[in-house]
Every structure is written in structure tokens, then in C-alpha cells.
Amino acid sequence: MSSVSPTSPAGLQAPPSKKTLRKVAFASAAGTTIEFYDFFIYGTAAALVFPVVFFPALGAAAGTIASFGTFAVAFFARPVGAIIFGHFGDRIGRKKTLITTLLMMGIATVTIGLIPDASTIGVAAPILLVVLRFVQGLAVGGEWAGATLLVAEYAPVGKRGLFGSFPQLGPSVAFALASGTFLLTNLTLGDKSEAFITIGWRVPFILSAVLVLVGLWVRLSIEETPVFKNAAKVTHTGTKLPILESVKRQPREILLAGGSLTLLFAFFYVGTAYLTSFATSPTGMGLSRVEVLSTGMVSSLFVAAATLASGVLSDRFGRKKVIATSCILAVPWSLMLFPILSANTVFAFGLGLTVTLVIFAIAYGPAGALLPELFETRYRYTGAGMGYNLAGVVGGGIVPLVAAQLAVTSGAWSIGILLAGIGVFSVLCTLALPNREKQGLEDGGPRTSSKHVDDAAFIEPVAGP
């Protein structure tokens, strides 16, 4: 990384080697997998046990709504995390900031697994749960933009969609890990045993400490991105307040990016959180936890494949076209989803969950390249994080909460109407986004165009560690 290309302008660093690209791709995927594992085990627990553990006095329906209310707290924390960690990511670098978010998430998750239940400490239990959930939201709010910038700022221009899809594998792999951990615990202790309600659900939270140590080791082994280093050499100082500059200079991009990705969040969290609750509820599909968790693990394989494929397709056909395709497919599928689930079979649940998450993945793969391309280097971490987490507030925080309420008041079919409307909204926002995928990121961002591209940058990417 210290060598200088003889053809690089202003003495900037040479393009990264294949070995470096492999390490960065693995580090980004491993880091987001760990962060989202911590995030998703909360969603699984919120669906399966939190109504009983933390809200027993509210009853089944109200307890579920309250449980998903705590789930939503993290999504309102995510924009705050995007601002805080975006500031430091743009000021001191991507790597240091990502290490901080990983540690925050790990500590909060392990602590959640240690909270006594409501029968032991009363109202203090749900209060502690909300506080720690907020900390999780702060961490994930700063995680995504940093992880995608890590690969986007290393990747060759013509392969940015592919490389940008590596950190996007985190949610699908994490969903499989979270489902698998809960499944093993559930099989060991019994589907409806008191041991699972009191102790078993805590195991996945406490075990996350091991994953955090692995992720920390991986992230310490990589270097700061060459784009950030080069920008620091040229400007000598970063933007003092990245949030103010990003909002002042590119508010349209932040808002449109948030609108474009709202459908993505809505589909993923309705699929992974709400449908888990709906499938296991006696008033929903009435399936066992084992059936639901096993189906989730199988579904995640299709999601991972679709994520990588859509990233590759976005390099060929364009980010906007691929994401718009996802939003368009979402409209008819939203109206079909709950009629299919009404069959109350494992196959119906598997079909509903898998198609919902594959539609999500079609948009999610290109998003890892799309958002970094929209913003200038000096506030790219903040701008990308704000757009992404704005979508998270609406699609991931509000929609699952509203879905739980709609199911009680209007029936499950009304959730399909809600999702179809979001699909229309997101496709309109996607089409209104500027197209900047042909530009390099090394020149500082979207306002200028790089006129020099080193041929050595176009090397074949290789996935894996």
C-alpha cells in the first residue's frame, strides 16, 4: 500500500493488489455479518419470546406490538448513528470508525442476553432493553456506510457493483446464523419449554461475543481505503461538519436514496421479523418454531445468491434499473403474499418468505455501490449513511410496527396493500436518482469526473478470505 504508481496523479497510491482486494471483500462481509447477526437475533427474539419475557402483563397481541416497538427503536437510532459515526468516518477514517461500531454492537448485544426478565426486576427490564436496543441502532447506523465505503473505495470502477455486494451478504448470512443458533437452542431445550423462555433465548446473545472477537481481528488486519488516504493528501483536512455539508450540498440525493431503499427495508424486516411472529402465532399460521427457523435458514441461501447476482447485474445494466426492477416486482407480490400464507403450511411460509427476501436482495446487492457513488469523498460516509438509515426508519422501523397493528385491526391482507404502496413510492424515487456509476470515487465524488484511469485498477476480483 505504500508504493506509488508512476502514472498516478499528484503522487497518489497505486491500485490495490488482488490479495488486498480479497482481504477487503472478506473483511467487509465478515464485519456486516457479525453486526447484523447481533441485530437479527433481537428480531427473532422479539418475535418468539420477548412478549412473554418483557411484556407478560400486556397479553399476546399487545405484547407483540410492544415487543416490535422496542425493535423499532433501533431504526430511529440509526440516523443518529449515521451522523455520529459518519462524522468520524469522514474525519478520521473508515477503519477506526468501523472498529468502534463493531465493539459497541457486541457489548450491547451481550448485555441484552444478561437482562433479568420483567418478573424479576419489573419495569426496569423493558427500559434496559430499549436503551440497549438504541445502542444497537447507533452501531448499525454507523456500520453499513463504512462497510460499503470500504469496498467501494477499493473496487475498480467496472466491478464496483460486484464488490459492493460483498458487505451486502451480511444480512443473509446473519439471518441464517441467527435462525440456526435459535434452532439449535430450541431443539436442545424444547419448542415450548420453560427453559427456552427463561435461559435458551439468551444463548445467541451471549455467544455473539465470540463473533465480535473474530470480526475485530479481521478489521484490524486491513488498511484505510486508498481513496480516503488520497483525499487527505490532497486536501490536508476533511470537512469539519460532514452532516451540514452533505445536507446543504446534496439533500436531494439523501432524500431520494432514502425513498428508493424504503421498499428494501420493508420487505426484509417484514420477512425476517414480522413473518416469523406471524408464522408461529396461534392466530397466524400456527407453525412450530423449528419449522419457521429451519425455513429461514434455507431461505437465506437464496437471498445470498440473489444479492451477489444483482450486484453483478448492476455493473452490466445499471444500479437504477436493477433496483427499480425489485420495486416493480414487489407490487404484485405484496398483494399475493398473505393469500399464499393463508394456506398455513410450511411450504406456503417457505415460498412467501423466500420470494419476499429475494425481491429484497435484488435491490440490496446494488445498493452497496449506488449510495457511495452519489456523494463526495469528504462527506461520503455521512451522506450514504443518512440516505440508507432514513430508509431504515420508515421501511424497517415503522412498517413492521404498523404491520403488527394492521393485522390486529384490519387483517393480514391489509399489510399487502401497505407494501404495494411502498413499492410504488420506492420505484418513483429510484427513477428520480442521478446516475453516477460511471464515475470513479478516487476523484472526490460526483461533482467532477476522473479523466485518468490506471489500467492496473481493472483486475479480476476474487471472493473469499
Side-chain angles (χ1 to χ4, degrees), residues 168-180:
Q168 308 298 72
L169 290 173
S172 56
V173 178
F175 184 48
L177 287 175
S179 298

Side-chain angles (χ1 to χ4, degrees), residues 88-411:
F88 290 107
D90 286 323
R91 291 284 293 166
I92 66 174
R94 310 343 185 177
K95 175 182 175 178
K96 293 178 181 178
T97 305
L98 285 171
I99 290 172
T100 302
T101 61
L102 184 66
L103 288 173
M104 274 186 63
M105 174 61 85
I107 292 171
T109 303
V110 172
T111 306
I112 287 173
L114 300 175
I115 300 176
D117 59 30
S119 65
T120 304
I121 61 173
V123 72
I127 291 175
L128 286 172
L129 185 67
V130 169
V131 171
L132 292 169
R133 182 62 175 166
F134 190 85
V135 174
Q136 280 191 320
L138 289 177
V140 172
E143 163 67 23
W144 183 86
T148 54
L149 261 61
L150 193 68
V151 286
E153 292 184 346
Y154 266 105
V157 175
K159 302 290 185 181
R160 200 179 296 138
L162 170 62
F163 274 83
S165 65
F166 283 115
Q168 308 298 72
L169 290 173
S172 56
V173 178
F175 184 48
L177 287 175
S179 298
T181 307
F182 271 102
L183 177 61
L184 289 174
T185 305
N186 199 76
L187 289 172
T188 302
L189 299 177
D191 186 40
K192 298 181 180 180
S193 70
E194 184 68 22
F196 181 79
I197 299 297
T198 56
I199 301 295
W201 70 267
R202 301 177 185 276
V203 173
F205 287 85
I206 297 171
L207 285 180
S208 69
V210 178
L211 295 177
V212 169
L213 292 175
V214 173
L216 186 62
W217 172 75
V218 171
R219 286 196 167 167
L220 286 171
S221 70
I222 59 174
E223 296 187 36
E224 184 56 78
T225 72
V227 170
F228 183 85
K229 285 184 177 181
N230 292 343
K233 284 183 179 181
V234 173
T235 62
H236 302 293
T237 182
T239 300
K240 291 184 178 180
L241 291 173
I243 177 60
L244 293 183
E245 188 165 0
S246 61
V247 171
K248 179 181 178 180
R249 295 174 67 88
Q250 294 188 264
R252 181 173 179 269
E253 284 85 348
I254 292 174
L255 293 174
L256 287 176
S260 173
L261 302 185
T262 295
L263 183 278
L264 174 158
F265 274 94
F267 259 50
F268 189 80
Y269 286 102
V270 165
T272 59
Y274 178 75
L275 289 187
T276 298
S277 176
F278 180 78
T280 56
S281 171
T283 58
M285 299 183 71
L287 302 178
S288 71
R289 292 191 189 121
V290 172
E291 290 172 325
V292 171
L293 294 172
S294 300
T295 302
M297 292 180 66
V298 174
S299 177
S300 66
L301 299 177
F302 292 94
V303 179
T307 300
L308 281 176
S310 63
V312 173
L313 290 173
S314 76
D315 282 327
R316 181 173 181 181
F317 298 107
R319 325 280 185 233
K320 289 176 58 176
K321 289 181 180 178
V322 176
I323 293 174
T325 298
S326 169
C327 298
I328 292 169
L329 290 173
V331 176
W333 177 251
S334 297
L335 302 177
M336 296 166 58
L337 176 59
F338 284 92
I340 289 173
L341 295 177
S342 66
N344 293 333
T345 65
V346 175
F347 177 79
F349 174 69
L351 178 63
L353 179 66
T354 301
V355 175
T356 299
L357 294 184
V358 165
I359 290 175
F360 145 82
I362 293 172
Y364 197 59
L370 174 74
L371 266 68
E373 291 168 344
L374 293 176
F375 300 98
E376 297 188 55
T377 300
R378 64 183 184 273
Y379 54 78
R380 181 173 293 138
Y381 201 128
T382 301
M386 283 294 293
Y388 183 79
N389 290 295
L390 176 61
V393 169
V394 180
I398 296 176
V399 171
L401 186 59
V402 172
Q405 294 173 324
L406 282 176
V408 174
T409 59
S410 303

